[in-house]
Amino acid sequence: MSDKKPIIAVPIGDPAGVGPEIVAKACALEKVCDAANVVVIGDRTVMENAIGIVHADLTINVIDSPKDGDYRRGILNLIDLHNIDQSKFEYGVVQAMCGKAAFEYIEKSIKLAMDGEVDAVATTPINKEALHAAEVPFIGHTEIFGALTGTEDPLTMFETNGLRVFFLTRHKSLRDMLDDIKKERPASKRASRPWHAWV
């Protein structure tokens, strides 16, 4: 492995969900520290609480930019957007404040990637109902990434054991989905590539 590790931006997801805890547990793992330099995008108080919940041996280092990070094991480098009002915050509850915050974490991560400050973005769970409550005009990660990167036809793809799978349709009724499965991708998709080209 190269001595120069990639810098990965990690938005914490919905603050009221499991995302912050997943981030805390991952950042405490030696294999994660060995593989990449992680920059977390979130809220400091939310991450302090998550670290306490999972009993992670981490110290938060608030930074303004990935270049300011202290990339040693036990340090969680955080760009703190300070966008959660703890007096109104509740775990496990759909809240517009949390939907807006989750979007802002993703937005900041994408900007860092587009500006070349990080090499990639690794996402965590968001809540579609919270996004809707916050009037965020996107239903999920794929749509957010597509819009904010100017990608005309974004796709979500999973890979396991060399098999690549993606969503041909999304967020449709079963009837509409069956009507859309054709050799060529549905007319609602702008790309003209056959669907099997992505498998």
Side-chain angles (χ1 to χ4, degrees):
M1 188 168 94
S2 167
D3 288 336
K4 186 177 182 331
K5 293 187 282 188
I7 302 176
I8 311 297
V10 181
I12 67 170
D14 190 301
V18 297
E21 293 162 41
I22 292 171
V23 171
K25 289 185 84 168
C27 287
L29 293 174
E30 184 175 357
K31 65 182 178 180
V32 170
C33 297
D34 289 345
N37 293 327
V38 176
V39 176
V40 176
I41 317 300
D43 177 274
R44 180 175 188 151
T45 304
V46 169
M47 283 312 302
E48 286 174 342
N49 292 340
I51 288 168
I53 290 168
V54 302
H55 307 290
D57 186 14
L58 292 169
T59 300
I60 292 178
N61 177 40
V62 175
I63 59 176
D64 294 321
S65 167
K67 70 180 185 313
D68 302 327
D70 179 358
Y71 299 109
R72 293 176 294 152
R73 188 169 180 205
I75 305 291
L76 187 146
N77 293 287
L78 173 72
I79 295 179
D80 181 12
L81 299 192
H82 193 67
N83 54 2
I84 293 298
D85 181 348
Q86 289 295 320
S87 70
K88 299 176 182 175
F89 177 75
E90 293 181 75
Y91 283 108
V93 176
V94 172
Q95 298 157 88
M97 171 180 67
C98 292
K100 181 175 182 289
F103 173 74
E104 290 171 353
Y105 304 145
I106 299 167
E107 182 180 44
K108 176 66 173 179
S109 299
I110 291 171
K111 183 175 187 326
L112 291 171
M114 297 295 283
D115 289 346
E117 294 189 63
V118 300
D119 298 298
V121 177
T123 61
T124 52
I126 56 177
N127 186 305
K128 289 176 171 56
E129 288 184 59
L131 290 180
H132 181 70
E135 299 182 356
V136 172
F138 306 105
I139 197 167
H141 282 110
T142 304
E143 295 78 11
I144 293 170
F145 273 81
L148 298 186
T149 63
T151 301
E152 188 173 318
D153 188 24
L155 291 170
T156 300
M157 185 186 78
F158 301 95
E159 181 174 3
T160 179
N161 298 322
L163 174 67
R164 294 177 180 176
V165 180
F166 74 95
F167 300 134
L168 176 61
T169 64
R170 65 178 64 243
H171 310 299
K172 293 184 173 207
S173 71
L174 182 59
R175 175 70 267 157
D176 289 342
M177 180 271 298
L178 291 171
D179 289 340
D180 278 346
I181 297 178
K182 300 173 185 167
K183 183 175 181 180
E184 295 298 320
R185 298 185 68 197
S188 62
K189 293 291 185 180
R190 291 178 284 256
S192 59
R193 290 168 288 207
W195 67 270
H196 54 75
W198 292 96
V199 180

